[in-house]
């Protein structure tokens, strides 16, 4: 063949190859990505549905729950499955977290120094893929979505990697201490389940990795946690320190990207209170944030649910990753109460409604024989030895959303190493504990009179006219393990205050998601300049809006105090500012503001 002929054939082959490359769609692929310390992280990459060669799309990193493995189904459905995300226009990268599945390394429970840096390596890899939309060199357009363990790594990664653009963590935690070791008492049921599941997945599946055997391991602190839970029901100091080191608050404080928090009302591992803490931090830092409570998560939904995770997560990711402000992500807070109806509010915490409280007295017995209040992961109404305080029967429908407050004045005696009682709200008509949630409250068994006040786990209830609820205080709860020892606690007064909601600030949306009629709510938020008495300086300033303590400021922020009246219904609100000087002097100012007024015409 002559030189001219060879050039013609070579040119034709190159043209055919280019044509085929252009016509072929982007393809899915598995890849082992090497992390910062040499650990192999096993991944699967799925280009967006219909993405052609040369086209680019934002990428969503989707993790998995504790003890599970990555999703490898390109068409996975569900509310936020891989297929759902791909059809919404996203590339999707799934991965086996460090120590699980086909990935190597020791499980570090979403540590920023390990699993967090693993995610940074994943983002590095995504930046080199031809399908990935880039914001700059080495900076892909990236979001994250996932539940539980995967939700927590989103909060970790968003706090350390500025290249992540939006996250939608579901049923994550704020503090493993409050989630697993509340009031110094180990949550035995969930601890045993998590240890068993993590051990199975973390030590066996990696042996069959296509990239060579990978043997994930469980950290010794978690093994010790299991031993402690069985032996004493209390974690040892090393376990306490390990859990405290996984507190996400410092990392959430660093997040500046849009964050959607979804949490389950019957979730007895990571209750709505965990999402409340994360939301408070993000909202205070003026981060675009939305919170949704659904009837799901780590627990059993017993009152009916409306699908809400996907309905919230997909628009959220599309709004911020496609940078499309026309996409409506809805109000900042949505929840499904125990009547299975979705409701919305402009912000959280909600504007308080009419007070609902109750008081009572009685006796609590603690005994190992009485297996009251629950199975291993869900509270049930108490039995013998449980005292009750009936709540008033409502005349009108009343929303209760947030953390009830319980105050107990008591004296206790007994030979018991288990110095806690357990408080919970019970729906008497349905014989259910609201949200399956029970909360340990520490007590002294020295025969003296003591008073203790605690907020219970977050709940969402629609109290209906004629409905019956009661506060129960039990001597034991199987959610926290067996009761050790005997004790008698005489309660002189137990008082519960419910977090009711002003109905004007909570327009309902029906099951179809139709918008509620517009109602006038305040948009006022301003700073009040603070001037201390001559020769003095302020040490702290506390602001009260109505009867509710809104905030306390210290340090440099003392030059002014923000008065936030947003979300309040039309009317006049009383604002009290209480300032304390360095010399111990108290200065009070009371002002009244109109919350909803028409704009003046010019």
């Amino acid at each position: 063949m002559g030189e001219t002929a060879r050039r013609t054939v070579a040119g034709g082959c190159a043209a055919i190859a280019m044509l085929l490359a252009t016509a072929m769609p982007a393809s899915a692929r598995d890849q082992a990505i090497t992390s910062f310390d040499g650990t192999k992280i096993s991944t699967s990459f799925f280009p967006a549905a219909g993405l052609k060669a040369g086209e680019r799309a934002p990428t969503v990193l989707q993790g998995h729950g504790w003890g599970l493995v990555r999703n490898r189904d390109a068409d996975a459905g569900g509310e936020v499955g891989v297929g759902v995300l791909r059809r919404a226009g996203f590339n999707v990268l799934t991965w086996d977290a460090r120590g699980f599945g086909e990935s190597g390394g020791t499980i570090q429970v979403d540590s920023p120094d390990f699993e967090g840096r693993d995610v940074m390596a994943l983002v590095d890899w995504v930046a080199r893929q031809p399908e990935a939309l880039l914001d700059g060199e080495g900076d892909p357009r990236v979001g994250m979505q996932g539940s539980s363990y995967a939700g927590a790594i989103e909060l970790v990664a968003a706090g350390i990697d500025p290249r992540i653009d939006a996250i939608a963590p579901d049923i994550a935690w704020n503090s493993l201490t409050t989630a697993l070791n509340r009031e110094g008492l180990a949550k035995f049921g969930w601890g045993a389940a998590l240890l068993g599941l993590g051990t199975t997945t973390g030590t066996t599946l990696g042996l069959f990795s296509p990239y060579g055997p990978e043997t994930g391991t469980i950290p010794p602190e978690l093994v010790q946690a299991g031993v402690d839970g069985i032996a004493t029901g209390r974690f040892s100091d090393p376990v306490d320190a390990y859990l405290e080191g996984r507190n996400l608050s410092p990392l959430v404080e660093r997040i500046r990207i849009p964050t959607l928090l979804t949490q389950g009302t019957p979730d007895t591992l990571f209750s709505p209170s965990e999402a409340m803490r994360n939301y408070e931090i993000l909202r205070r830092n003026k981060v675009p944030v939305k919170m949704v409570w659904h009837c799901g998560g780590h627990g059993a939904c017993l009152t009916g649910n409306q699908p809400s995770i996907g309905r919230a997560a997909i628009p959220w990711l599309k709004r911020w990753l496609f940078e499309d402000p026309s996409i409506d992500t809805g109000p900042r807070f949505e929840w499904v109460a125990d009547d299975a109806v979705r409701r919305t509010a402009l912000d959280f915490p909600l504007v308080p409604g009419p007070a609902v409280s109750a008081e009572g007295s009685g006796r609590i017995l603690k005994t190992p024989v009485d297996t009251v209040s629950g199975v291993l992961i869900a509270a049930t109404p108490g039995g013998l030895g449980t005292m009750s305080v009936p709540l008033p029967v409502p005349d009108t429908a009343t929303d209760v959303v947030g953390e009830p407050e319980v105050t107990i004045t008591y004296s206790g005696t007994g030979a018991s190493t288990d110095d806690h009682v357990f408080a919970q709200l019970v729906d008497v008509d349905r014989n259910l504990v609201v949200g399956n949630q029970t909360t340990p409250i520490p007590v002294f068994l020295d025969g003296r009179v003591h008073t203790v006040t605690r907020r219970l786990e977050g709940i969402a209830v629609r109290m209906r006219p004629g409905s019956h609820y009661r506060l129960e205080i039990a001597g034991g709860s199987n959610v926290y393990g067996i009761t050790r020892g005997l004790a008698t606690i005489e309660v002189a007064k137990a008082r519960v205050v419910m977090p009711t909601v002003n109905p004007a600030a909570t327009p309902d949306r029906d099951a179809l998601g139709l918008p509620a009629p517009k109602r006038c709510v305040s948009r006022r938020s301003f700073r009040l300049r603070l001037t201390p008495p001559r020769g003095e300086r302020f040490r702290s300033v506390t602001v009260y809006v109505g009867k509710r303590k809104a905030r306390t400021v210290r340090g440099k922020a003392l030059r002014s105090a923000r008065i936030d009246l947003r979300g309040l219904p039309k009317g006049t609100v009383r604002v009290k500012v209480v300032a304390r000087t360095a010399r111990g002097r108290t200065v009070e100012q009371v002002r009244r503001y109109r919350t909803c007024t028409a704009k003046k015409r010019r």
Side-chain angles (χ1 to χ4, degrees), residues 364 372-374 379-383 385-391 406 408 421-428 431-433 437-439 441 456 469-475 494 496:
I364 305 168
V372 300
S373 184
T380 58
T386 299
M387 71 158 287
S388 299
V389 179
L391 271 67
V406 171
I408 309 171
V421 294
F422 299 84
Q424 56 196 30
L425 272 298
V426 173
D427 181 335
V428 179
N431 196 37
L432 296 174
V433 173
Q437 305 286 353
T438 191
T439 305
I441 298 177
L456 307 188
Y469 291 84
R470 67 173 180 253
L471 167 70
E472 286 189 348
I473 307 177
V496 59

Side-chain angles (χ1 to χ4, degrees), residues 249-527:
S249 288
L251 292 158
V252 177
E253 287 280 4
R254 296 165 59 178
I255 293 175
R256 294 296 181 268
I257 61 170
T259 301
L260 169 69
L261 304 167
T262 56
Q263 207 79 10
T265 53
D267 193 320
T268 56
L269 176 58
F270 304 138
S271 76
S273 296
E274 298 296 315
M276 288 169 58
R277 302 290 90 79
N278 288 328
Y279 183 93
E280 289 164 2
I281 295 171
L282 295 167
R283 191 74 179 93
R284 184 181 68 243
N285 291 334
K286 298 180 174 57
V287 175
V289 60
K290 176 183 174 74
M291 182 167 64
V292 175
W293 291 3
H294 55 91
C295 192
H298 306 93
C301 178
L302 303 177
T303 55
N305 189 22
Q306 293 181 25
S308 55
I309 303 173
R311 183 169 63 183
I314 298 300
W316 187 264
L317 294 171
K318 292 179 73 172
R319 161 65 182 90
W320 298 107
L321 296 184
F322 289 122
E323 296 183 338
D324 184 354
S326 69
I327 296 176
D328 181 14
T329 58
R332 284 198 180 95
F333 181 48
E334 301 181 22
W335 76 96
V336 175
D338 59 348
D339 61 353
V341 174
R342 185 170 70 104
R343 297 181 173 86
T344 68
L346 297 178
D347 207 346
F348 189 90
L350 298 165
V351 181
V356 173
S357 62
E359 294 182 0
S361 59
R363 173 180 293 173
I364 305 168
L365 300 178
K366 296 178 65 67
T367 167
V369 178
D370 189 12
T371 55
V372 300
S373 184
V375 293
L376 287 178
I377 59 172
T380 58
L384 297 175
T386 299
M387 71 158 287
S388 299
V389 179
L391 271 67
V393 177
D395 295 326
T396 61
T398 303
D399 284 312
V400 175
V401 182
E403 297 170 321
E405 184 177 88
V406 171
T407 299
I408 309 171
T409 299
Y410 69 94
S411 62
T413 57
S416 176
T417 59
D418 183 1
D419 49 357
H420 292 77
V421 294
F422 299 84
Q424 56 196 30
L425 272 298
V426 173
D427 181 335
V428 179
D429 301 322
R430 290 185 279 192
N431 196 37
L432 296 174
V433 173
V434 174
N436 309 328
Q437 305 286 353
T438 191
T439 305
I441 298 177
V443 294
F444 294 100
L445 302 176
D446 56 7
R448 300 177 181 178
V449 176
H450 300 275
T451 298
V452 59
T453 298
R454 288 294 188 273
R455 289 191 178 275
L456 307 188
E457 299 282 10
I459 58 173
V461 174
R462 166 57 71 98
M463 298 178 69
R464 302 165 303 281
S467 62
H468 300 84
Y469 291 84
R470 67 173 180 253
L471 167 70
E472 286 189 348
I473 307 177
S477 172
N478 285 325
V479 174
Y480 284 84
I482 62 173
T483 301
R484 295 172 168 85
L486 301 169
T488 301
I489 300 167
E490 300 290 346
V491 178
K493 184 170 75 172
R495 174 178 171 81
V496 59
V497 179
M498 304 296 283
T500 59
V501 180
N502 188 319
T506 58
D508 292 359
R509 290 189 175 189
D510 64 17
L512 297 177
L514 298 177
K518 291 184 178 179
R519 300 179 183 179
C520 181
V521 293
S522 175
R523 297 183 179 179
R524 297 193 68 180
S525 179
F526 54 90
R527 289 193 175 275

Side-chain angles (χ1 to χ4, degrees), residues 198-217:
T199 301
T200 301
T201 311
T203 57
T204 58
L205 295 184
L207 296 174
F208 307 101
S209 171
Y211 314 112
E214 296 285 1
T215 54
T217 55

